[in-house]
Amino acid sequence: MAAYNPEEQENIDELKSWWNTYGTLVIVIAAVFIAGIGGGQAWNYYKKQKTEQALESYDSVLQVQGSGDAKKISDAAGLVMESFPSSGYASRAALISAQASFNAGDLQNTKNRLQWVLDNSGEEELKDMARLRLTGVLLDEKKYDEALRLLEVKHGESFDGLYADRRGDVLAATGKVGEARAAYQMALARISAGGTYHDIVQMKLDALPSAK
């Protein structure tokens, strides 16, 4: 075997010295880097699996939705809400359950489901929808002040007409005709003219007693 010349030997000695000083650090950094790549892949796989599982559970809600059985729908929705609370499917399942409970006359469960969306959903539009529906339940229960407080919460611009209309309903129920009229007029200004909903709001406005 050929011997190293002095220059090569000097380079080898320098490399050994450098490795003795920094070798452990290099190994740690490399290990962390590799673990980071593997960990990232594992996390992405985990999220994908959870999303697929949440979707499967949500599908079960959709399957029983057509039955009209509020208890079955509530049970199916509850599984999604408990197992995958941070997913968008959980909030949608809660809204479906709330509607089924409302149709069945179970106002308490309706309110519970809608409040769950307000407390847990990460989607502002779903929260705006849940809040609007909750004010409808409160209106039926004649809890007017509570309904008005909810309607004052900031909401998306696309809900302006709906919130103004509901505010008009609550104010009309309390006998505040002038304020109800202003609310309905605001709703009409934010709802597309010519549609059925626009006509309904107009009829409610026209049905208000004339100002004395």
Side-chain angles (χ1 to χ4, degrees):
M1 181 181 293
Y4 292 117
N5 62 44
E7 184 176 350
E8 290 176 331
Q9 188 62 49
E10 183 178 351
N11 290 336
I12 292 173
D13 291 341
E14 289 178 356
L15 178 58
K16 287 181 178 179
S17 177
W18 182 90
W19 183 258
N20 289 334
T21 303
Y22 300 105
T24 301
L25 178 61
V26 170
I27 292 173
V28 171
I29 292 174
V32 171
F33 178 73
I34 293 171
I37 294 175
Q41 292 175 338
W43 175 246
N44 290 335
Y45 176 77
Y46 173 78
K47 289 195 297 182
K48 182 175 181 295
Q49 289 294 103
K50 294 290 284 186
T51 300
E52 291 176 353
Q53 291 170 4
L55 177 57
E56 289 177 2
S57 295
Y58 180 66
D59 281 342
S60 69
V61 178
L62 297 180
Q63 289 172 12
V64 298
Q65 183 181 10
S67 69
D69 189 322
K71 185 179 186 310
K72 287 183 179 179
I73 297 172
S74 180
D75 289 344
L79 288 175
V80 187
M81 294 159 62
E82 292 174 10
S83 303
F84 313 99
S86 61
S87 72
Y89 296 115
S91 295
R92 287 165 174 78
L95 288 174
I96 291 174
S97 176
Q99 185 62 54
S101 294
F102 181 79
N103 293 341
D106 186 351
L107 298 186
Q108 187 56 54
N109 195 57
T110 300
K111 291 193 295 183
N112 290 343
R113 292 306 200 211
L114 294 174
Q115 188 62 51
W116 190 94
V117 176
L118 293 179
D119 294 338
N120 295 275
S121 179
E123 299 178 59
E124 291 302 320
E125 287 191 358
L126 293 184
K127 293 171 72 170
D128 289 342
M129 185 183 301
R131 190 180 300 110
L132 183 66
R133 293 182 181 180
L134 183 54
T135 61
V137 178
L138 294 172
L139 174 59
D140 289 343
E141 294 181 328
K142 303 185 187 305
K143 296 180 179 179
Y144 306 126
D145 290 341
E146 191 174 344
L148 289 173
R149 283 196 296 271
L150 278 180
L151 290 168
E152 291 173 357
V153 175
K154 185 178 179 180
H155 54 266
E157 186 177 347
S158 62
F159 283 84
D160 282 350
L162 296 170
Y163 271 63
D165 174 38
R166 181 58 50 77
R167 181 176 175 81
D169 294 342
V170 177
L171 291 169
T174 62
K176 298 178 180 179
V177 177
E179 293 180 53
R181 179 175 289 106
Y184 285 140
Q185 289 172 339
M186 179 181 293
L188 290 171
R190 287 165 171 75
I191 298 171
S192 299
T196 302
Y197 183 47
H198 187 279
D199 294 341
I200 291 174
V201 177
Q202 183 65 59
M203 285 190 292
K204 289 193 286 188
L205 175 61
D206 294 340
L208 289 175
S210 301
K212 297 181 180 180

